[in-house]
Amino acid sequence: MHILGQNPLGKKRLIELFLTAENLKNTYYNLLGGKSYLKSILEGHTIALLFLEPSTRTRVSFQLAAKVLGAETILLSENTSAQKGETLEDTIRTLANYPQISAIVLRSSEIQSAQRAVKVLEHMKSVGRLSREISIINAGDGSGFHPTQAFLDLYTLWRYNKLYDVYDCGNAQYQSKRLCGVIFGDVAKARALHSLVLEISVFRPVIYVYSPPRNQLPWKIYKKAAVNGAKIRKISRFEDKIAQTADFYYFIRYQKERHLAADGSYFKEYGCSSNIRNLARKDAIFLHPGPMLKEMPQSSRWDERFKYDQQIENGMWIRAALFKMLLACSQENI
Ligand code: NCD
């Protein structure tokens, strides 16, 4: 199985992922001998981390997630033969020939790079050059998708009881209104936002989007999310009425490497201002995928509702859970 991010993982699998992440974490912290048990889960596996674009959180968390489950990692970032002109296809083909490698985590500045990687593996299989499964995990493809960031964001919401579908029979968390979030910023180019909108859409939320007029959510993503039952509402100002219903707020930097125009006053307009903090409910939570720039003023970074630190650790457990789901499915559940 590959994680490309084009379509939502879906509620059932997401919840399974969250529960697995919880189990792994509890085992790590609580169970005597838990750490060494965890190390047996992916013993013998090698995971290639092919990071052709800058990364701190995503790279470190994938690397530590593999390590905690006992897998080896090979990090390829700067100085790969891509710099000599080798194509992504040839790099993937090369890695697939090493018999230890069972997954490739790929970050690249090119949209759809993970799909291209999958095509290479399929081709190798079809001509008899590859006989085992290798999972491709999209860790960000240009301004495309970043599914594992969305998984960790949703996991963080879930842990704070901020992820529910009010139309589910039974409505387990007894919520009387639809889940509601406000997304601020560069929704045109930020892959983390694309994945967030898509992955959360299956919970049928209301999502308000406050973004620069020339940076709109790509139509395809809007349409898919709407078909899944999400109500996406573009807003031209943030007001009290919205703050009353919002369960969470999501901020992101201006993706300057993917725009021709400079960011201007983006951080003032689309950042976590004191006005937003004053209007937001006490029980609402604020999220940011990092890296944080001026859109996240220092004073906001220490607001109790800002769950950045939790997102970071959650990111490691969710990626460990994902590795387990993809590579160790036959293992008994812990
Ligand atoms: C995001 C990314 O790379 O898309 N960062 C991350 O993975 N934590 C967001 C960003 O770069 O702004």
Side-chain angles (χ1 to χ4, degrees):
M1 184 183 174
H2 308 288
I3 302 292
L4 305 178
Q6 297 282 308
N7 293 302
L9 191 65
K11 270 185 221 166
K12 192 170 166 278
R13 275 205 288 229
L14 268 178
I15 303 292
E16 263 170 40
L17 201 63
F18 300 162
L19 294 173
T20 306
E22 289 290 296
N23 280 333
L24 295 174
K25 184 175 173 174
N26 290 338
T27 307
Y28 183 85
Y29 284 120
N30 300 334
L31 205 70
L32 200 66
K35 286 184 190 145
S36 53
Y37 169 68
L38 291 181
K39 285 216 172 296
S40 69
I41 294 179
L42 290 186
E43 206 185 328
H45 287 268
T46 299
I47 295 165
L49 306 171
L50 181 55
F51 275 70
L52 304 172
E53 223 195 20
S55 173
T56 301
R57 284 147 286 266
T58 307
R59 181 167 52 84
V60 172
S61 61
F62 268 116
Q63 198 162 8
L64 292 178
K67 192 178 159 94
V68 89
L69 299 185
E72 300 265 339
T73 51
I74 297 192
L75 175 64
L76 301 103
S77 46
E78 298 119 37
N79 300 327
T80 66
S81 292
Q83 289 185 349
K84 297 180 186 166
E86 184 175 68
T87 61
L88 176 72
E89 280 74 5
D90 285 342
T91 307
I92 298 293
R93 176 177 174 173
T94 304
L95 292 174
N97 277 301
Y98 297 109
Q100 297 93 330
I101 289 183
S102 41
I104 300 172
V105 180
L106 173 64
R107 166 165 292 196
S108 138
S109 58
E110 291 173 38
I111 205 157
Q112 305 236 328
S113 48
Q115 280 85 327
R116 283 167 53 200
V118 169
K119 275 209 181 119
V120 174
L121 300 181
E122 282 168 358
H123 188 75
M124 288 178 79
K125 276 189 183 165
S126 73
V127 296
R129 301 280 178 92
L130 182 69
S131 55
R132 63 185 206 287
E133 293 305 320
I134 299 180
S135 291
I136 300 289
I137 301 175
N138 180 4
D141 61 327
S143 57
F145 292 99
H146 191 357
T148 64
Q149 177 67 45
F151 300 161
L152 82 87
D153 293 332
L154 296 195
Y155 178 42
T156 307
L157 290 175
W158 180 79
R159 295 197 92 239
Y160 287 97
N161 288 332
K162 303 270 180 247
L163 187 68
Y164 58 88
D165 180 344
V166 78
Y167 300 120
D168 269 348
C169 3
N171 180 15
Q173 294 175 33
Y174 306 108
Q175 302 284 351
S176 55
K177 64 162 199 55
R178 286 170 85 149
L179 172 66
C180 174
V182 193
I183 289 178
F184 291 84
D186 190 356
V187 83
K189 299 288 179 188
R191 56 198 177 199
L193 292 182
H194 298 168
S195 285
L196 179 72
V197 168
L198 203 58
E199 301 294 340
I200 206 170
S201 66
V202 296
F203 292 88
R204 294 175 275 194
V206 179
I207 303 286
Y208 294 102
V209 179
Y210 184 53
S211 59
R214 272 182 289 156
N215 292 317
Q216 299 303 306
L217 188 67
W219 172 244
K220 260 190 169 169
I221 298 172
Y222 170 85
K223 217 173 126 198
K224 271 192 187 176
V227 166
N228 290 335
K231 258 196 192 175
I232 315 282
R233 295 283 174 264
K234 186 177 150 39
I235 53 172
S236 51
R237 73 200 165 94
F238 176 70
E239 51 192 20
D240 196 35
K241 222 169 68 193
I242 294 172
Q244 301 285 316
T245 58
D247 298 293
F248 72 91
Y249 294 79
Y250 201 99
F251 301 91
I252 201 159
R253 75 185 169 97
Y254 182 71
Q255 309 282 299
K256 63 174 184 291
E257 67 276 38
R258 306 189 214 291
H259 288 288
L260 295 174
D263 53 354
S265 58
Y266 173 92
F267 71 95
K268 282 197 200 132
E269 195 62 33
Y270 305 101
C272 186
S273 64
S274 53
N275 177 46
I276 294 171
R277 282 164 48 211
N278 291 337
L279 289 179
R281 286 192 340 235
K282 290 228 162 9
D283 71 315
I285 65 173
F286 302 156
L287 301 175
H288 193 302
M292 292 184 270
L293 305 183
K294 283 201 282 187
E295 73 289 338
M296 211 59 206
Q298 281 301 331
S299 50
S300 303
R301 296 184 189 195
W302 299 105
D303 188 305
E304 284 220 342
R305 294 166 293 184
F306 184 37
K307 305 301 180 194
Y308 174 77
D309 301 296
Q310 291 81 347
Q311 281 177 281
I312 301 300
E313 183 174 352
N314 290 345
M316 192 199 67
W317 294 117
I318 213 74
R319 286 167 175 132
L322 191 68
F323 280 145
K324 184 170 187 276
M325 187 176 105
L326 296 175
L327 307 177
C329 334
S330 58
Q331 299 251 349
E332 55 165 311
N333 289 331
I334 57 158

